[in-house]
Amino acid sequence: MSPNTPPANPAAGEDGWSGPVAGLARLVDGLRRDIDPLTGLPGRVEELAEVLARLSETVASIATRRNAGPAPSWLLAPANPEDTTSILEDLAAWMGAIYLRYPDGAAVLSDCWAWHPDVVEELVWLMHAWSAAYQGPAASVALAGDWHDRQRPGVVRRIRQNVGSCSIERHQTRAGRAPLTATAPTVPAAGQLAQLAAWWATARDSAPPEPADHSDNATNGART
């Protein structure tokens, strides 16, 4: 060993660094090995953020549906002319401003629409669905899209199927032709509901009671 060569430092590491510097180098190397597995974490965080955003939209959509206000029913409207007049006037104003702007809706709406309780009922709830989608406290683009894609076309389709060929003239009395009426329909088997309810409550695993025979009535009606 040369006289000018310093003695070997026992604290020196294999890379030649010694003392505190060597310790710091080992610490940095250890931190690097600990951090390497976390390099993909930002990407995972972004994916989780996207999932959370979609989940938030879904929850908001469900809450919107639950918070939508109820629509009045024309079929169960109060027996008060002021109430029924208000419903029809509001409906007519909305139809002129919104519903009849769509060519398919205007094309299938007969001039006797107000004489058909089922048509009025369809249009009343459609009007309130539009209001909830565009003007209500929970109005949203999703509700508006549902109104355009599903609700309005469904009402148009049912009106076309049920009363598409009707007209004002068909509701007017003509010689030899009975006028169309809007009387309440008769519920079939209404006279046997108590019997059926008792069977379902006490003996639903056995055969149900037989339906009443209406053939005699039908025959008598045909003869007269």
Side-chain angles (χ1 to χ4, degrees):
M1 177 181 298
S2 170
N4 296 327
T5 302
N9 187 346
E14 296 177 355
D15 52 3
W17 297 103
S18 62
V21 177
L24 182 60
R26 287 192 295 272
L27 179 61
V28 171
D29 186 63
L31 289 175
R32 189 186 69 250
R33 288 195 296 267
D34 292 339
I35 293 174
D36 282 344
L38 302 179
T39 54
L41 186 58
R44 290 190 214 134
V45 171
E46 292 181 0
E47 292 177 2
L48 290 175
E50 293 177 0
V51 171
L52 182 59
R54 290 195 296 267
L55 181 60
S56 299
E57 292 177 358
T58 302
V59 171
S61 178
I62 293 174
T64 295
R65 294 191 188 100
R66 289 180 178 174
N67 292 334
S73 171
W74 179 250
L75 299 179
L76 294 177
N80 183 332
E82 292 182 359
D83 292 330
T84 52
T85 298
S86 177
I87 293 175
L88 282 183
E89 288 180 347
D90 290 346
L91 178 60
W94 175 80
M95 290 169 61
I98 303 297
Y99 183 78
L100 295 179
R101 297 282 186 177
Y102 296 88
D104 57 341
V108 305
L109 187 71
S110 62
D111 51 6
C112 60
W113 66 271
W115 276 261
H116 294 272
D118 57 324
V119 173
V120 177
E121 180 81 353
E122 292 270 18
L123 292 171
V124 166
W125 80 255
L126 185 66
M127 173 180 65
H128 281 266
W130 179 90
S131 179
Y134 282 92
Q135 299 176 331
S140 69
V141 174
L143 286 179
D146 190 50
W147 189 87
H148 283 276
D149 292 340
R150 185 175 61 85
Q151 294 173 346
R152 192 194 69 83
V155 169
V156 171
R157 182 180 65 254
R158 288 189 293 273
I159 292 178
R160 179 189 295 111
Q161 292 172 347
N162 296 335
V163 295
S165 61
C166 198
S167 64
I168 284 289
E169 288 74 17
R170 293 195 63 197
H171 291 265
Q172 296 173 338
T173 302
R174 292 289 185 274
R177 186 184 71 187
L180 295 178
T181 60
T183 56
T186 301
V187 179
Q192 287 189 276
L193 294 183
Q195 185 182 12
L196 288 167
W199 160 73
W200 190 251
T202 62
R204 68 184 67 179
D205 293 330
S206 61
E210 293 187 6
D213 187 2
H214 299 292
S215 59
D216 293 338
N217 296 332
T219 302
N220 293 335
R223 289 175 181 171
T224 58

